[in-house]
Amino acid sequence: MRQRDEKATRDRTITKFPEVYNIQATPYKEQSFHTLVKNACAANKTGTVGLKISKCIVIGDVSVGKTCLVNRFCHEVFNRDYKATIGVDFEVERFDILNVPFNLQIWDTAGQERFKCIASAYYRGAHVIIVVFDLSDLSSLDRTSQWLEDATIETNNEDALVFLVGTKKDLCSQSRFDDIENIAIAKANELSAEYWSVSSKTGENVPEFFNRLAAMTFNNAVLAEVDESRQPMMSKIGGDGKLIKVPKPTNLTGSIDLTDTGFYQRKKSTNCC
C-alpha cells in the first residue's frame, strides 16, 4: 500500500467538475459541484471531509484488468506480466479538490472464485463500486450484473456510486470497439451505472475517469456534512409531545440503530473495514 504524502500532485488537483465520458451513459447528471459544496469549500467549512478516507472497491472477473487499471492510475505503470490478485490489495490516493484535501482508498479485489468470499468481506461501507469487464471478452460483461448484485448486498450503502468500466480498449479495432461499446452502454443503463472505456496500457481515459470519480465522491461527502436534509434522521419525542426529527449521533463507533424503547444502542464493532 502506498499513500501520496503532503500535497497532491498537479494531476490530482481538481478545481472544476470533470466531464462525463458519455452523457447518454450515466445516471449522474451533475455538471458542476453543488452550490452548497462550493460555498462550504470557499468558507473552509467542509466538516471532517478532509480527515476521512472514502472507500472505492474494484470488482470483476479474473484477468479483466482490475490491477492494471489501479496501477496505471496510482503508479503510472503498465505491467504485461499478469499475476492474479490474492484476496485484496489497496492504495490510498491524495487529491486536492476545491482546495480541500481528499483521500480515496482504492481496493483491488480478487476475481478468482476461491478468493471471492475473502474479498467480499472488504466491500462493506464502500462509497464507490467499480465493476470492470474486458472489452475484448463480452462474456466478462455478461457477468457484471452478478458482480454488482453481490457487491450491493455486501456494501450496505444504497448511495454508493456505481461505474461500469471496460478495459483493454487498445486490443479492439475501431469497428469492433464501436459494436461492443453500444452493448456496454446498454448494460450500464440497465445497471444504473456510469460507463467508461479505458486502456491501462496507453493510459487513455484512466486519469479522467478517476478524477471524475473522486470529484463525485467528494461532492457527496461534503453535501453529507453541510446539508442537514441529507443527514440520517430518526424520530424523537419533543418536550411538547410532538414528533421531531434529529440526526443520528456520529461520535459512536460501529453502526447505530434505534431500539423500540427509543434509546440509541451501540452495536458491536467489527475489525473489518
Side-chain angles (χ1 to χ4, degrees), residues 229-250:
S229 67
R230 293 172 179 257
Q231 294 180 5
M233 307 296 286
M234 294 190 298
S235 300
K236 181 179 178 182
I237 303 299
D240 57 359
K242 295 182 179 180
L243 190 67
I244 62 174
K245 297 288 186 177
V246 294
K248 288 183 183 180
T250 58

Side-chain angles (χ1 to χ4, degrees), residues 2-114:
R2 180 181 67 97
Q3 180 176 4
R4 294 179 183 269
D5 298 324
E6 300 178 353
K7 294 197 69 175
T9 56
R10 181 176 299 178
D11 59 338
R12 303 290 189 274
T13 299
I14 301 173
T15 57
K16 66 178 183 178
F17 207 72
E19 294 182 358
V20 64
Y21 173 75
N22 185 328
I23 193 62
Q24 303 302 321
T26 179
Y28 313 117
K29 303 304 182 181
E30 302 93 332
Q31 296 184 13
S32 65
F33 291 103
H34 195 285
T35 301
L36 288 175
V37 172
K38 290 187 284 189
N39 291 342
C41 292
N44 196 26
K45 294 181 179 179
T46 56
T48 60
V49 169
L51 303 176
K52 296 179 180 178
I53 295 180
S54 290
K55 183 177 181 179
C56 167
I57 58 173
V58 185
I59 61 176
D61 279 1
V62 62
S63 78
V64 293
K66 300 184 297 296
T67 299
C68 286
L69 175 64
V70 174
N71 284 341
R72 166 56 73 179
F73 177 68
C74 297
H75 303 289
E76 300 178 359
V77 298
F78 175 76
N79 190 347
R80 293 177 179 273
D81 298 327
Y82 171 72
K83 294 181 180 179
T85 301
I86 299 176
V88 294
D89 195 6
F90 72 92
E91 303 278 349
V92 178
E93 286 297 310
R94 161 71 184 269
F95 295 81
D96 284 335
I97 305 179
L98 299 182
N99 294 318
V100 176
F102 182 69
N103 293 297
L104 186 66
Q105 187 181 65
I106 305 171
W107 287 86
D108 175 20
T109 67
Q112 292 175 300
E113 188 65 31
R114 59 180 172 147

Side-chain angles (χ1 to χ4, degrees), residues 29 37 56 59 71 76 110 133 138 148-149 173 197 200 210 231 252 268:
K29 303 304 182 181
V37 172
C56 167
I59 61 176
N71 284 341
E76 300 178 359
F133 73 98
L138 271 179
L148 180 58
E149 181 180 342
S173 65
S197 67
S200 299
F210 277 102
Q231 294 180 5
L252 299 180
K268 184 178 180 182

